[in-house]
Amino acid sequence: PGLKECIEKLKQQQKTCIELFYYKNKSYREIAKTLEMNEKKVKSYLQNAKRNLKICLEERNVREE
């Protein structure tokens, strides 16, 4: 899977935070306001999403070797 496929596999909240942060260039504060949650939660979702994306992309690389 490529990056888009890996993003699609994320849990909904993680996916939404990634899309808002990286594709819409929103700040933690803006995302928190949009999703009606606190900034710590946004930060947590982004950290978990990045970790899950890294794992997903690494799995693809291992399979291709």
Side-chain angles (χ1 to χ4, degrees):
L3 181 58
K4 279 189 187 270
E5 291 87 355
C6 288
I7 289 172
E8 288 302 316
K9 290 181 181 179
L10 292 173
K11 292 178 182 168
Q12 188 58 51
Q13 295 283 39
Q14 292 177 6
K15 182 178 159 186
T16 302
C17 286
I18 286 285
E19 289 170 345
L20 289 171
F21 190 75
Y22 289 103
Y23 294 115
K24 306 268 195 241
N25 295 315
K26 300 288 184 190
S27 68
Y28 287 176
R29 179 174 289 145
E30 290 170 318
I31 296 169
K33 191 174 179 188
T34 301
L35 300 180
E36 298 178 346
M37 62 177 67
N38 68 43
E39 287 179 51
K40 284 184 180 173
K41 201 78 168 154
V42 170
K43 188 174 183 181
S44 174
Y45 281 130
L46 282 167
Q47 286 175 332
N48 290 332
K50 286 188 278 187
R51 186 183 64 243
N52 290 333
L53 288 172
K54 182 174 186 258
I55 291 167
C56 180
L57 292 168
E58 284 174 350
E59 284 173 355
R60 179 191 65 176
N61 291 339
V62 167
R63 279 198 299 266
E64 287 178 357
E65 288 176 0

